[in-house]
Amino acid sequence: GEVGFNFQQQYFSDGNEHRAYSLRIAEIFAWRVWDKLTADLKFEFFPNLGEFGEYRLRLESNLRYPVSDRLSLNLDLIDIYDTQPAKDISPNDLQIRSTIGVNF
């Protein structure tokens, strides 16, 4: 597990600025599902220290299957939630990615 601090400053086109100070609480879990298939889960929680009802949450889950010593197939699921998103943007962002990993 991890505990830390995050600072974010935003500059808007209308001249306004926004600063946010957040605590960072994180955890990474790893699991060997089968002999070659591995999974991990990353969890990050950023409660805003200035506005107690505001927070950001990030969950990331990865599945990896090595095809050879240098190549792997990866499937990632990422969910990002923000209680204060930009105007006209959904507070929840769900992403699904499939990639080929290359080790050098």
Side-chain angles (χ1 to χ4, degrees):
E2 298 177 36
V3 175
F5 180 76
N6 189 51
F7 171 73
Q8 183 180 41
Q9 186 165 355
Q10 299 171 318
Y11 299 95
F12 298 99
S13 61
D14 63 1
N16 287 325
E17 295 180 21
H18 180 265
R19 292 182 182 154
Y21 302 90
S22 303
L23 186 64
R24 179 179 180 272
I25 303 168
E27 182 68 52
I28 298 175
F29 302 95
W31 177 36
R32 181 171 299 279
V33 180
W34 289 301
D35 188 36
K36 289 187 173 184
L37 182 66
T38 60
D40 59 61
L41 174 67
K42 299 172 187 172
F43 166 82
E44 293 178 302
F45 179 59
F46 299 91
N48 188 326
L49 297 175
E51 300 289 332
F52 291 108
E54 295 179 11
Y55 63 90
R56 288 179 294 131
L57 178 66
R58 177 184 169 94
L59 298 170
E60 182 176 343
S61 180
N62 305 298
L63 287 174
R64 289 184 188 83
Y65 185 82
V67 178
S68 69
D69 290 343
R70 296 189 178 262
L71 294 176
S72 65
L73 300 176
N74 308 311
L75 180 64
D76 304 325
L77 175 70
I78 302 168
D79 190 14
I80 302 169
Y81 183 83
D82 190 343
T83 58
Q84 295 293 314
K87 184 179 178 183
D88 299 327
I89 302 296
S90 171
N92 196 57
D93 182 20
L94 180 64
Q95 305 169 24
I96 299 173
R97 294 186 293 202
S98 60
T99 59
I100 296 175
V102 179
N103 294 328
F104 294 96

